[in-house]
Amino acid sequence: ELYDKFLEDRKTWCKFTTLQTYPNMYKYIKQFMKIRCVDYSTEHFLQWKKNMYSRKKISLRYKNDILKHWKSILNFGTKMYNFDFSFVYRKMDKFKDPNARKKEMKFYTLDEFNKFISAEDELMWQCYFKTLYYCGLRCGESRGLKWKDVNLTKNILSVKRQVIQHPNEDGTNYVLSDPKTPKSIRTIPICATLSISLKKYQQSLIDNNIYDNENFVFGDGNLPLSEHYILKRKKRNTEL
């Protein structure tokens, strides 16, 4: 009941992207749901933590995200219903792994990227992957980019929204959302290499009478690219 009240509250003010993470986290805290709030004890938590440590396929970072989520539920119970979880709360330390190594970030060098993009024969896809590479956009941000956000005179583009994969009753499978953080709303310079490609791509749309300032840059007019096709295209190019 506390969890249901917590969700009800979060839906009134929480970002859609955050709410999307809750169902997956729920399956890891489900064992708590049969415990009365007044009976929640250190033993319950320690047993849960032991079980979580045994889940080798879950990253340490995600385990701590789940723990943070569980703490936020307890905090809600204290704030709204005056439950006292303080004794157990003090024992709820983060998951730790003394042997954990920071995951190395993988990226293409310029030579590697040029080799990758040389396999791409469609102008739209060339522009898409160049925008990711040269502007550093997240996938959702690139999918949410509209032509009105791109100024090819000043060679800048503005990140104002992102596309989130989500099935809707109207048959569409996406929603528009604010970028991940407030700092993610930004203006980015467009380098000469990308500017030339985007101008060529934009002109091809104008010549075919399918250009609209409100359309998504990458996609089919008023529909953005799907994650499925992006991954499929990326795999195709890396294998060529």
Side-chain angles (χ1 to χ4, degrees), residues 96-233:
K96 298 175 183 177
D97 182 357
N99 300 314
R101 297 177 62 183
K102 189 173 181 180
K103 189 175 182 180
E104 184 179 353
M105 183 174 288
K106 297 180 180 180
F107 60 90
Y108 277 162
T109 64
L110 183 57
D111 286 342
E112 289 171 333
F113 177 72
N114 286 335
K115 185 177 180 181
F116 169 85
I117 204 67
S118 68
E120 183 52 68
D121 51 10
E122 289 190 24
L123 183 57
M124 188 274 287
W125 284 108
Q126 289 175 3
C127 289
Y128 178 75
F129 288 119
K130 285 182 180 181
T131 300
L132 287 181
Y133 188 77
Y134 291 114
C135 296
L137 269 62
R138 298 182 179 93
C139 181
E141 293 171 342
S142 63
R143 295 172 66 209
L145 200 63
K146 295 190 175 185
W147 280 112
K148 64 181 180 181
D149 305 319
V150 181
N151 187 324
L152 293 176
T153 302
K154 296 182 178 180
N155 282 328
I156 56 174
L157 64 82
S158 300
V159 178
K160 299 179 179 179
R161 72 192 70 78
Q162 65 176 333
V163 170
I164 305 296
Q165 208 75 12
H166 181 70
N168 299 303
E169 293 181 358
D170 61 3
T172 58
N173 63 348
Y174 74 93
V175 295
L176 294 178
S177 170
D178 291 336
K180 190 172 182 179
T181 67
K183 288 185 179 181
S184 296
I185 300 174
R186 62 204 188 277
T187 299
I188 301 173
I190 299 173
C191 68
T193 300
L194 176 57
S195 179
I196 291 170
S197 296
L198 283 173
K199 286 176 181 176
K200 186 177 178 181
Y201 173 41
Q202 184 185 58
Q203 189 59 50
S204 70
L205 297 176
I206 293 172
D207 292 343
N208 287 286
N209 295 317
I210 52 176
Y211 177 82
D212 191 306
N213 211 32
E214 290 292 331
N215 282 351
F216 290 103
V217 177
F218 307 114
D220 183 14
N222 61 353
L223 292 175
L225 283 176
S226 73
E227 288 181 348
H228 170 74
Y229 285 118
I230 292 170
L231 292 173
K232 185 177 180 180
R233 197 74 180 189

